Amino acid sequence: MTATSDGRYRIRSAEILPIYDSRARQTLQVTVCTVDASAAGVAPAGASRGHHEARELRDPDGGLMSACARFRQEIAPSLIGMDCRNQAGIDAALISLDGTDDRSHLGGNTLIATSMATTALAAASNRMPLWQYLAENQGATEMRMPLPQIQILGGGAHAGGRLPLQDFMVVPLGAEDWPTALRWVAEIYHAAGSLMSERGMLQGVADEGGWWPNLQSCEAALDLLVLAIEATGRKLQDEVTISLDIAANQFYRKGCYHVDGEALAPHAWVEKLLQWTRRYPIRMVEDPCAEDDPENYAAFYEGFHQQGLIVGDDLVVSNGARIRRAVKDRQINAALIKPNQVGTVTEAHEALLSCPVPIVSARSGETEDTAIVDLAVGWQAPLIKVGSIARGERTAKWNRGLRVHQAHPMPLMRFPHPGSLSQH
Ligand code: PGA
Ligand code: ZN
């Protein structure tokens, strides 16, 4: 790697520290410094992962000794002297140092913590908040805040599989700004909690802070969500809509979808899901089918794309080429952008640019780090997903948005009109 003549932006030190995430597992924090600025990047961790995600580097006992050793031996010496503003160059160097297709030598966790740290350092050395630095870099004008989609009930891999679906979320698409959006969702969250506790259905909170329900079926969960929205006086669809992360990889076994005690053939599952989208005010459905069942993914798209967003997560793993292919094959018209799925900030940004409706997203294993909000605002993503509105690692992010909004009031993004996204 080559140094530049502009010493103020030159990276002088790079350190790594294992810290803890919201599931009491170790994760990585990388700190980088110039002569007069410093910044950190932290790796999040998923629990329901796509097969093609960048691999985490973890010791057999769950520790991060090998990741730290490789960072110190291979990454840190290469970073020293580089210009922290040269994100593309830094990320290209990280990718080549790793040298594998699945990022398994240095680990997607080590790479994303490093890449996020240098991005944050570039902003810090320019004396700017990260979101503003990113926005200026891409020439954004007339900025808006991303529309939040917020989990109310958790299920799937985040709640012991009690409900097969992973996220029952709401999108406050009628709110004019971020503070109003959060207020509406907090009211719905409380209403759902009260309804469940009155009925003896409440079992605490799931991994992303949503209520962990003791409910017998997905339909019971959807009924409860509708009741909770109505209890707050908000208008279904015009003000608040429902978004589901099906995370169907988790309950697809031997060619069948295992839902609410039934083993459904794929066409029967797609039909059931389409019926729910007609019966309930649902405008977003993520990973409706398993990643190795693309035909039925496409069958769901055909039935739903005029009504809402079909969001690829495990199917496309924040990979630009996979997103473009899935859009062309009429499987998705939106995708999550999770920087650690792909490994570097540059690749995550490329993936975002290749997507009709990108949704910048955190993971289920998180820390108090809030950089994901700055990415979403700075990149002007239409939507953001960071879990529920309870638990500190989640509220850190929503509160970051409140502080950004206080300093620079911006209206909220408008919900994209699905019909206009269809491929012809
Ligand atoms: P994960 O899931 O972070 O546990 O992988 C989140 C999601 O599927 O959106
Ligand atoms: Zn998902």
Side-chain angles (χ1 to χ4, degrees):
M1 297 188 192
T2 50
T4 69
S5 53
D6 198 341
R8 188 177 144 211
Y9 295 102
R10 201 173 299 157
I11 298 174
R12 300 231 166 173
S13 68
E15 288 175 8
I16 193 158
L17 177 71
I19 61 172
Y20 285 88
D21 77 7
S22 51
R23 282 192 282 247
R25 297 181 83 215
Q26 281 195 333
T27 191
L28 293 170
Q29 173 180 285
V30 166
T31 305
V32 281
C33 301
T34 59
V35 65
D36 61 358
S38 78
V42 182
S48 81
R49 300 181 193 175
H51 291 132
H52 298 285
E53 289 193 24
R55 293 274 166 266
E56 254 191 346
L57 180 57
R58 228 173 242 285
D59 308 328
D61 65 359
L64 294 165
M65 301 265 279
S66 43
C68 291
R70 286 181 198 172
F71 177 87
R72 290 186 188 112
Q73 282 155 17
E74 301 179 43
I75 296 179
S78 311
L79 283 180
I80 307 294
M82 284 203 84
D83 186 318
C84 63
R85 297 166 302 178
N86 179 13
Q87 194 62 41
I90 290 170
D91 288 339
L94 290 172
I95 291 166
S96 113
L97 275 175
D98 172 73
T100 66
D101 285 340
D102 61 3
R103 309 286 150 86
S104 53
H105 175 64
L106 294 173
N109 46 346
T110 323
L111 295 182
I112 197 61
T114 307
S115 185
M116 288 294 300
T118 57
T119 308
L121 183 61
S125 59
N126 275 303
R127 310 277 179 265
M128 267 187 216
L130 178 55
W131 67 268
Q132 196 173 12
Y133 173 77
L134 295 170
E136 288 195 4
N137 263 1
Q138 63 172 33
T141 51
E142 298 193 22
M143 300 214 15
R144 288 175 176 265
M145 298 280 284
L147 196 50
Q149 57 165 336
I150 305 187
Q151 188 193 60
I152 304 296
L153 307 177
H158 301 161
R162 187 74 189 79
L163 285 172
L165 313 194
Q166 187 170 288
D167 295 309
F168 295 80
M169 296 170 283
V170 293
V171 182
L173 74 185
E176 72 267 21
D177 58 20
W178 184 278
T180 310
L182 294 191
R183 184 165 50 77
W184 286 6
V185 175
E187 286 166 9
I188 295 166
Y189 184 83
H190 290 135
S194 304
L195 284 167
M196 287 162 63
S197 95
E198 277 161 21
R199 297 168 188 197
M201 294 166 174
L202 196 54
Q203 303 218 315
V205 296
D207 279 10
E208 294 191 3
W211 300 117
W212 179 326
N214 180 15
L215 292 167
Q216 295 315 312
S217 69
C218 296
E219 288 179 23
L222 286 163
D223 287 335
L224 185 117
L225 196 49
V226 168
L227 278 180
I229 298 169
E230 286 175 340
T232 66
R234 300 266 81 87
K235 290 195 204 78
L236 292 166
Q237 289 295 36
D238 288 347
E239 292 186 317
V240 176
T241 191
I242 293 177
S243 167
L244 298 176
D245 182 3
I246 308 293
N249 274 358
Q250 299 288 326
F251 56 89
Y252 181 65
R253 289 186 297 280
K254 297 190 183 147
C256 281
Y257 290 91
H258 295 258
V259 184
D260 297 344
E262 288 183 293
L264 296 172
H267 70 274
W269 162 241
V270 168
E271 194 39 49
K272 187 190 250 306
L273 194 48
L274 286 171
Q275 277 169 17
W276 289 345
T277 66
R278 289 180 206 119
R279 222 172 103 196
Y280 297 98
I282 296 171
R283 288 224 216 160
M284 295 177 71
V285 178
E286 182 180 328
D287 281 340
C289 292
E291 63 179 276
D292 46 9
D293 184 20
E295 271 170 41
N296 291 295
Y297 216 115
F300 179 77
Y301 176 100
E302 290 310 325
F304 187 64
H305 72 101
Q306 295 291 353
Q307 179 183 335
L309 301 178
I310 302 101
V311 183
D313 175 15
D314 298 340
L315 180 75
V316 290
V317 293
S318 306
N319 174 305
R322 283 180 193 278
I323 291 172
R324 283 190 292 277
R325 196 179 323 131
V327 170
K328 184 166 154 291
D329 292 349
R330 297 174 68 91
Q331 293 160 353
I332 60 169
N333 53 14
L336 290 196
I337 305 296
K338 295 169 163 171
N340 80 322
Q341 276 184 326
V342 62
T344 63
V345 171
T346 304
E347 291 165 293
H349 190 223
E350 276 166 20
L352 175 131
L353 295 176
S354 67
C355 185
V357 181
I359 300 153
V360 169
S361 172
R363 301 305 302 254
S364 54
E366 276 290 335
T367 64
E368 63 281 10
D369 181 49
T370 60
I372 197 77
V373 177
D374 285 64
L375 293 194
V377 176
W379 287 345
Q380 287 290 277
L383 290 126
I384 181 168
K385 175 183 182 190
V386 306
S388 193
I389 189 159
R391 290 181 52 141
E393 79 281 3
R394 311 289 147 190
T395 51
K397 281 127 181 112
W398 301 126
N399 291 342
R400 168 71 183 152
L402 287 172
R403 292 176 190 119
V404 169
H405 184 267
Q406 185 186 37
H408 293 265
M410 303 174 217
L412 269 188
M413 290 278 180
R414 296 204 183 86
F415 191 79
H417 189 272
S420 67
L421 304 168
S422 305
Q423 298 258 307
H424 297 290

